[in-house]
């Protein structure tokens, strides 16, 4: 129902309204369950692709306002709050939150949610996060936050999954790309080329955005057809 509402109405307004309602909810168990459900919809539903992109960059006042609104309600569920920080690339704050987990009551349900977050990190939605692990120098708090999750987990399949991912984080010394480390052949090749790579990259993004829109349109038509068949 919620996915259909986001498809037919403004997804940002829907989430803003739900977050406001849950902030006033007195049944804390219900609020925690609803926040977890809404977060799963936000992170996994194709209908909310555009909303995820807005939150990922936080470039506009509206997106920053939505983040703050969601954050206050998402606090009903600690692990969900961390996942929202991962989505919005607030890695320093995610690390600070995980540090607070040591003061919380760690239950089986809590560990199960951490397990699910680790599984989610391996999904396509967080591809950009995994790629940022290549930039060790500029993303230290992302790595520290992931190590924090690792230390929370018991030795389980999720522990092994995250441990293997962190083992892939490169040595920062090997990732340096300063001018002093470039080969003379590479410099000559760059000087000889008169190609506008920025323009080529922009063209790539433009073409891929067209493909993305076409896929979403096809998916929307397929869902409408399925509903008609059911009716």
């Amino acid at each position: 129902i919620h996915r259909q509402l986001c498809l037919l109405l403004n997804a940002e307004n829907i989430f803003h309204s739900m977050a406001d309602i849950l902030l006033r909810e007195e049944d804390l168990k219900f609020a925690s369950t609803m926040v977890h459900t809404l977060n799963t919809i936000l992170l996994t539903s194709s209908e909310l692709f555009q909303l995820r992109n807005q939150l990922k960059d936080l470039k506009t006042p509206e997106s920053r306002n939505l983040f703050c609104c969601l954050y206050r309600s998402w606090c009903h569920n600690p692990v969900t709050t961390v996942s929202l920080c991962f989505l919005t690339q607030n890695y320093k704050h995610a690390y600070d939150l995980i540090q607070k987990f040591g003061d919380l009551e760690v239950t089986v349900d809590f560990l199960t949610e951490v397990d699910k977050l680790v599984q989610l990190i391996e999904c396509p939605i967080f591809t950009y996060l995994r790629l940022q692990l290549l930039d060790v120098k500029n993303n230290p708090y992302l790595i520290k936050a992931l190590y924090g999750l690792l230390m929370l987990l018991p030795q389980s399949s999720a522990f092994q999954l995250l441990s293997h991912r962190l083992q892939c984080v490169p040595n920062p010394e090997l990732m340096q790309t300063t001018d002093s480390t470039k080969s003379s052949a590479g410099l000559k090749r760059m000087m000889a080329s008169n190609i506008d790579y920025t323009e080529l990259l922009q063209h790539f993004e433009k073409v891929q955005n067209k493909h993305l829109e076409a896929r979403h349109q096809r998916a929307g038509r397929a869902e409408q057809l399925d509903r008609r068949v059911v009716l």
Side-chain angles (χ1 to χ4, degrees):
I1 292 172
H2 200 82
R3 289 176 61 182
Q4 289 302 310
L5 282 173
C6 290
L7 192 63
L8 298 171
L9 302 174
N10 184 288
E12 183 177 339
N13 290 343
I14 294 291
F15 268 84
H16 210 301
S17 299
M18 293 295 290
D20 284 338
I21 292 168
L22 289 170
L23 193 58
R24 301 189 298 270
E25 177 59 49
E26 295 182 0
D27 185 342
L28 298 183
K29 177 65 176 175
F30 173 76
S32 177
T33 303
M34 278 299 299
V35 162
H36 177 74
T37 304
L38 288 172
N39 187 66
T40 302
I41 294 169
L42 174 63
L43 292 179
T44 60
S45 297
S46 59
E47 294 89 346
L48 296 171
F49 175 80
Q50 296 297 335
L51 187 59
R52 283 197 296 272
N53 274 353
Q54 292 174 32
L55 287 168
K56 186 170 73 173
D57 297 325
L58 295 180
K59 290 180 178 178
T60 64
E62 292 80 12
S63 62
R64 292 190 289 270
N65 181 48
L66 178 61
F67 165 72
C68 292
C69 178
L70 293 179
Y71 182 93
R72 290 185 175 89
S73 291
W74 264 223
C75 286
H76 281 299
N77 189 304
V79 180
T80 296
T81 312
V82 171
S83 71
L84 180 64
C85 289
F86 281 157
L87 174 65
T88 55
Q89 303 184 67
N90 284 301
Y91 302 133
K92 170 69 165 60
H93 193 68
Y95 172 70
D96 292 339
L97 284 172
I98 291 169
Q99 291 291 95
K100 296 289 185 183
F101 284 4
D103 300 327
L104 302 179
E105 181 185 8
V106 178
T107 63
V108 174
D109 289 340
F110 178 88
L111 292 175
T112 300
E113 291 195 10
V114 176
D115 187 298
K116 290 178 180 177
L117 176 56
V118 170
Q119 302 288 342
L120 202 58
I121 289 170
E122 293 297 318
C123 291
I125 292 151
F126 281 118
T127 299
Y128 67 92
L129 181 149
R130 299 196 300 274
L131 287 173
Q132 286 172 348
L133 292 173
L134 290 171
D135 191 0
V136 178
K137 184 177 179 181
N138 291 319
N139 293 294
Y141 284 103
L142 169 58
I143 296 170
K144 292 177 77 170
L146 293 178
Y147 269 111
L149 291 178
L150 186 69
M151 296 308 163
L152 284 170
L153 286 166
Q155 303 252 346
S156 59
S157 58
F159 177 93
Q160 296 297 330
L161 188 65
L162 185 53
S163 177
H164 289 156
R165 174 62 64 186
L166 288 168
Q167 286 172 18
C168 296
V169 174
N171 184 332
E173 297 297 324
L174 300 177
M175 298 298 288
Q176 289 184 356
T177 57
T178 58
D179 290 341
S180 60
T181 61
K182 291 178 181 176
S183 67
S184 58
L187 283 171
K188 289 178 182 177
R189 186 166 58 250
M190 288 175 65
M191 291 172 63
S193 100
N194 192 21
I195 298 171
D196 188 348
Y197 286 100
T198 302
E199 189 276 329
L200 292 178
L201 190 59
Q202 290 172 349
H203 176 74
F204 172 82
E205 291 174 350
K206 184 178 178 181
V207 172
Q208 287 302 309
N209 284 334
K210 287 182 179 178
H211 279 280
L212 181 64
E213 289 175 8
R215 282 198 298 271
H216 279 272
Q217 288 174 0
R218 288 196 298 270
R221 286 196 295 268
E223 287 183 4
Q224 289 177 359
L225 183 60
D226 288 343
R227 285 197 293 271
R228 287 174 186 171
V229 170
V230 170
L231 292 174

